[in-house]
Amino acid sequence: MLPLLDVLRLPTTRVLLTTETFAYRVLPPVACCFTTAFLVLMPRTQSVRIALWPITAILTLRAATSLDMSMGQPKLAFLNMQLQLSMIYIAARTLEWTVQTKPFVRMARPSSTDVPKRNLVLDAIDLVCNSRGCGWDWSQGVYIPPETHPTSSRLAFATSASVSGLKHLFLSGTIHSAVKSFSPDTFGSVDGGTIFDDSLPPHLRYLRSSIIATLCAFAIYSLIKANYEIIVVICVLILRQHPDQCPPLIDSPWRATSLREFWSRRWHQWFRRIFIFLGGNPLYLLFGRNGGIIGTFLASGFIHHLQLLPIDPSSEMWRMVLPFGMMGAGMVIERAVAGNKTGGWMGWTWTMCWVLLWGNVMVDGWARAGLLGSPNVLDSATPIRQPIERLVKTFDEYLHAIGGKP
């Protein structure tokens, strides 16, 4: 009993990452997650899941707040942010599985020639890792983008995905370096700072901040794309999954002609289920469809705020909750004005303007927390990074010159 109580005890300080601390702090909530995933596949296990979830919640909180993944290096503080997000993911998904009354069912893969035999262990692993629910009975309504890689063979698919992953990794690093070059001593560093330059007149100030916000959006897109492509290669070549089990994650969000299309089809749906479960469903019961939409985005904003706390404990919640909440409000306005007929160049203009308007606020919140100063793959590639820095510096000097305040 005493060792169990010691494991559940919440710490007051963070300890550095070692093999021992990782096994002692991270593996217990991960084990609870897989156990709950296994249980939700079987009937008459809800009482066990209910008893297990409080333990899981305590363990995830303990892991998120007690382990220093950065090894004491401020530039690696983003690793603590990733740990916190992983623990939020575990706590939220296991809570959903806990309240589930009927067992989840993994459907047959359409690419299989024979109906696969049920393997609860493999199904539990897939349930944990498959946040979109591809191939599960609970994933109705999730949009799956069209495949862009050849599926004639695993090797052809993996080769194409590898090239795409490396390309987007390079793009992400290049764009991120450009963003940091706008202000290397403030938001381009881990100290953080605002993207709004008060030394510029308003029109140039918001032009500059909008360029930075747009670059950040493309850097995030490229990083998500690169990470997913690398995961896909591992799944197909090493875990021997069929390419059909690894559909694209994101679908050219800059082509969206409505906010609804942007957020429900074009942007990644990795945390869609969690946001709907935590925010959308409760507010839908209270305020109907519009409440569900806004509640989903409020949950997204709150989780994005929690994600920032490891790198900036003083981060203000409204800097995430407001812009994400306004994305939901924009969707409600869009539906009230145009129904489901938003589209064309007017729809594209509306969508991009709304996303950019509140994207400025969102990116400014990340910049103030020091997130934009995190390292990237090009930090040590001086021959590539220096021309980018000179180009951005020249452009920034030009903005200040025409603003009359060099």
Side-chain angles (χ1 to χ4, degrees):
M1 178 61 72
L2 288 177
L4 176 61
L5 293 176
D6 185 54
V7 169
L8 296 177
R9 185 177 295 115
L10 294 177
T12 57
T13 58
R14 288 184 181 268
V15 296
L16 294 181
L17 174 66
T18 64
T19 304
E20 181 182 355
T21 56
F22 181 85
Y24 187 61
R25 315 254 175 168
V26 176
L27 292 187
V30 171
C32 287
C33 179
F34 279 98
T35 301
T36 308
F38 184 83
L39 291 172
V40 78
L41 301 178
M42 298 186 295
R44 298 182 296 276
T45 61
Q46 189 176 29
S47 58
V48 180
R49 285 178 269 136
I50 291 174
L52 180 60
W53 189 80
I55 298 174
T56 304
I58 293 173
L59 290 175
T60 56
L61 178 61
R62 181 176 182 270
T65 58
S66 70
L67 188 59
D68 183 8
M69 299 284 287
S70 71
M71 307 289 289
Q73 302 179 48
K75 281 197 171 184
L76 299 181
F78 71 95
L79 295 176
N80 289 332
M81 186 182 74
Q82 298 301 327
L83 173 65
Q84 181 132 322
L85 183 60
S86 299
M87 293 301 111
I88 292 172
Y89 177 86
I90 290 175
R93 294 208 73 192
T94 52
L95 177 60
E96 181 191 0
W97 300 338
T98 297
V99 301
Q100 177 70 20
T101 55
K102 296 180 180 179
F104 286 139
V105 177
R106 189 181 184 188
M107 299 180 293
R109 294 190 292 271
S111 60
S112 301
T113 54
D114 300 315
V115 177
K117 294 181 180 179
R118 193 179 188 196
N119 185 316
L120 289 178
V121 174
L122 293 181
D123 286 355
I125 294 173
D126 188 84
L127 181 61
V128 171
C129 301
N130 187 353
S131 64
R132 286 185 292 173
C134 301
W136 289 87
D137 62 340
W138 51 266
S139 62
Q140 304 301 322
V142 175
Y143 171 72
I144 303 298
E147 186 56 74
T148 57
H149 301 307
T151 56
S152 55
S153 69
R154 282 189 171 89
L155 182 59
F157 181 88
T159 301
S160 178
S162 298
V163 172
S164 175
L166 292 174
K167 177 184 72 176
H168 284 94
L169 189 63
F170 176 80
L171 284 174
S172 175
T174 301
I175 299 170
H176 187 200
S177 294
V179 169
K180 293 197 292 184
S181 298
F182 273 95
S183 187
D185 298 326
T186 58
F187 64 78
S189 71
V190 294
D191 295 329
T194 181
I195 63 173
F196 301 113
D197 189 342
D198 290 335
S199 69
L200 290 171
H203 67 289
L204 292 179
R205 181 188 313 155
Y206 294 109
L207 171 63
R208 180 179 184 267
S209 68
S210 296
I211 291 172
I212 293 169
T214 302
L215 289 174
C216 284
F218 278 99
I220 294 169
Y221 163 83
S222 299
L223 185 60
I224 291 173
K225 184 88 170 177
N227 288 339
Y228 185 70
E229 299 284 32
I230 293 169
I231 293 172
V232 161
V233 171
I234 295 172
C235 289
V236 170
L237 287 186
I238 299 178
L239 302 181
R240 307 304 295 169
Q241 288 190 323
H242 192 278
D244 288 351
Q245 294 176 263
C246 305
L249 180 65
I250 199 166
D251 186 18
S252 305
W254 55 87
R255 294 181 178 177
T257 57
S258 70
L259 288 173
R260 180 175 180 270
E261 181 186 10
F262 185 97
W263 290 111
S264 66
R265 296 170 70 90
R266 296 287 185 176
W267 196 246
H268 76 86
Q269 305 295 298
W270 201 256
F271 297 102
R272 174 181 183 270
R273 181 85 176 182
I274 291 175
F275 298 154
I276 292 175
F277 172 71
L278 293 179
N281 290 344
L283 290 193
Y284 175 84
L285 294 175
L286 293 174
F287 304 108
R289 180 188 177 94
N290 291 342
I293 293 172
I294 294 177
T296 299
F297 282 94
L298 288 177
S300 175
F302 181 65
I303 289 178
H304 278 82
H305 166 69
L306 292 179
Q307 185 185 16
L308 285 178
L309 293 181
I311 61 174
D312 182 17
S314 63
S315 178
E316 299 169 291
M317 187 187 301
W318 72 266
R319 296 189 183 278
M320 290 293 108
V321 174
L322 175 63
F324 278 100
M326 291 308 296
M327 296 299 173
M331 289 182 64
V332 171
I333 295 170
E334 178 182 274
R335 184 170 178 267
V337 173
N340 294 324
K341 297 180 181 179
T342 308
W345 70 268
M346 290 185 65
W348 181 87
T349 302
W350 146 256
T351 301
M352 295 301 116
C353 286
W354 191 263
V355 171
L356 184 59
L357 171 64
W358 297 106
N360 268 265
V361 182
M362 195 183 302
V363 172
D364 188 58
W366 291 331
R368 289 173 181 270
L371 180 59
L372 303 189
S374 300
N376 66 61
V377 293
L378 294 187
D379 279 353
S380 58
T382 304
I384 299 175
R385 193 187 72 251
Q386 284 183 341
I388 297 171
E389 292 174 347
R390 284 197 297 267
L391 179 63
V392 172
K393 184 179 179 181
T394 301
F395 175 73
D396 208 33
E397 289 174 349
Y398 170 74
L399 286 180
H400 284 82
I402 63 176
K405 295 181 181 180

